[in-house]
Amino acid sequence: MARYDIEHSEYEGAGRRFAIVAARFNADIVDRLLEGALACLGEHGVASTDVDVVRVPGAFEIPLAAQRLAATGGYDAVVGLGTVIRGETPHFDYVCNECARGVAAVSLQHDLPVIFGVLTTDDHAQALARAGGAHGHKGREAALAALEMVTVLGRLASR
Ligand code: INI
């Protein structure tokens, strides 16, 4: 039996190329997510020259940018970062649902890890708490998910 159960310490970041698509909407939060994701990739051996960052207007636009990046064939993973905060309108649900659906579609269509690093919260405080506050750091978690997927898919490919 082969087990592909990879520890953090085994993540293989060196020599891998990543793209991050970060929404501008709620930039005060998304900038924190981006900062954490970049730091995490660096801590796992990813050179700063091997990371490209693309800004888009909002979370709704993340899938299209991710699709263009995936289509270049130049990346081992794409990370989508955004923050959608529930307001008084159903806009929240449309943005969240389309972003999640689009990210999943791009990932499967391009056979590439495309990570959903998008906070979906009721208010600003909840988002802040998940961007390096009391409830962890979704930006770092998204980078870790990308690193884990790159590593595990690399091992499956060499099987
Ligand atoms: N985009 C976000 O990333 N977060 C939000 O909270 C948000 N709200 O609340 O509306 C939001 N809307 C913009 C949307 O992502 C698109 O950029 C816009 O609809 C243009 O297509």
Side-chain angles (χ1 to χ4, degrees), residues 17-75:
R17 298 203 61 206
F18 295 83
I20 299 178
V21 183
R24 289 189 198 285
F25 212 102
N26 295 315
D28 60 322
I29 305 284
V30 180
D31 287 351
R32 289 170 188 246
L33 299 179
L34 178 58
E35 204 177 298
L38 290 170
C40 184
L41 291 175
E43 287 159 19
H44 286 83
V46 182
S48 60
T49 48
D50 284 337
V51 185
D52 293 331
V53 176
V54 177
R55 298 304 293 244
V56 295
F60 189 86
E61 283 75 31
I62 289 174
L64 177 58
Q67 180 167 268
R68 289 292 177 92
L69 289 160
T72 67
Y75 300 98

Side-chain angles (χ1 to χ4, degrees), residues 55-98:
R55 298 304 293 244
V56 295
F60 189 86
E61 283 75 31
I62 289 174
L64 177 58
Q67 180 167 268
R68 289 292 177 92
L69 289 160
T72 67
Y75 300 98
D76 294 291
V78 178
V79 178
L81 298 177
T83 299
V84 194
I85 298 176
R86 187 181 291 280
E88 299 296 319
T89 75
H91 198 64
F92 172 89
D93 298 301
Y94 291 116
V95 173
C96 293
N97 292 343
E98 290 311 303

Side-chain angles (χ1 to χ4, degrees), residues 71-155:
T72 67
Y75 300 98
D76 294 291
V78 178
V79 178
L81 298 177
T83 299
V84 194
I85 298 176
R86 187 181 291 280
E88 299 296 319
T89 75
H91 198 64
F92 172 89
D93 298 301
Y94 291 116
V95 173
C96 293
N97 292 343
E98 290 311 303
C99 180
R101 192 191 58 80
V103 163
V106 173
S107 182
L108 294 177
Q109 188 185 325
H110 289 274
D111 194 27
L112 187 78
V114 182
I115 306 303
F116 184 69
V118 179
L119 291 171
T120 58
T121 64
D122 287 332
D123 56 41
H124 188 269
Q126 286 180 357
L128 204 52
R130 288 157 180 78
H135 288 280
H137 202 307
K138 187 75 177 173
R140 282 185 164 273
E141 281 176 33
L144 286 173
L147 286 159
E148 180 171 357
M149 287 304 293
V150 163
T151 306
V152 74
L153 294 183
R155 293 197 186 176

